[in-house]
């Protein structure tokens, strides 16, 4: 069962400049940064608020570290902007299987490693009204920032 909007992913060319925009304009501060080699991105998570299920909602700023990464290809085609929306779930395996059974294409056979120790999968945008959709199970204990 999906419990919240976990994050909105925003693709950008310059992570540091984009972080500064969100800090200066809205007062959002960086909660966590990392490089995800598997996904080919350098990212910053900006915490927006806590949620009633013990999680949080974030803006995830994504800068590709390789042109051939999914985000790099997306940026080359679309330019900067909203890349995906992610919904939080207690069980990414069960929920991805449930949507698969409803005819939605799940992009990974098995969930992969995501931000802050999470487990993730993506749903095909053509099956989700043009929106790349991510399902996220947060790590039991978020990393120190």
């Amino acid at each position: 069962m999906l419990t919240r909007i976990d994050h909105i992913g925003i693709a950008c060319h310059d992570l540091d400049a984009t972080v500064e925009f969100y800090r200066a304009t809205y007062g959002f501060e960086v909660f966590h940064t990392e490089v995800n080699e598997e996904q080919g991105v350098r990212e910053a998570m900006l915490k927006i608020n806590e949620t009633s299920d013990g999680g949080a909602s974030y803006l995830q700023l994504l800068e590709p570290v390789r042109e051939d990464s999914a985000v790099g290809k997306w940026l080359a085609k679309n330019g900067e902007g909203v890349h995906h929306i992610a919904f939080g779930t207690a069980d990414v395996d069960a929920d991805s299987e449930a949507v698969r059974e409803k005819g939605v294409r799940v992009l990974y056979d098995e969930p992969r490693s995501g931000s802050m120790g999470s487990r993730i999968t993506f749903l095909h945008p053509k099956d989700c009204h043009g929106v790349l959709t991510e399902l996220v199970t947060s790590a039991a204990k978020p990393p120190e920032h």
Side-chain angles (χ1 to χ4, degrees), residues 94-106:
D95 284 338
S96 62
E97 188 55 35
V99 296
R100 181 181 277 123
E101 290 172 0
K102 293 176 181 174
V104 175
R105 287 174 281 179
V106 179

Side-chain angles (χ1 to χ4, degrees), residues 3-80:
T3 58
R4 63 189 153 80
I5 294 175
D6 184 85
H7 66 271
I8 297 173
I10 300 172
C12 62
H13 292 291
D14 183 335
L15 184 67
D16 297 327
T18 307
V19 164
E20 179 54 26
F21 168 81
Y22 281 96
R23 189 203 60 71
T25 306
Y26 304 115
F28 297 151
E29 296 295 335
V30 173
F31 179 77
H32 177 81
T33 61
E34 69 182 85
V35 173
N36 184 322
E37 293 294 341
E38 182 180 5
Q39 301 290 326
V41 294
R42 183 170 78 106
E43 64 182 77
M45 297 295 275
L46 310 179
K47 186 185 253 184
I48 306 305
N49 66 332
E50 302 289 333
T51 61
S52 62
D53 67 354
S57 293
Y58 302 91
L59 285 181
Q60 178 188 45
L61 306 179
L62 301 159
E63 175 190 68
V65 296
R66 302 186 313 265
E67 289 180 18
D68 68 339
S69 70
V71 172
K73 291 175 187 177
W74 190 90
L75 265 172
K77 181 179 178 183
N78 300 294
E80 294 184 307

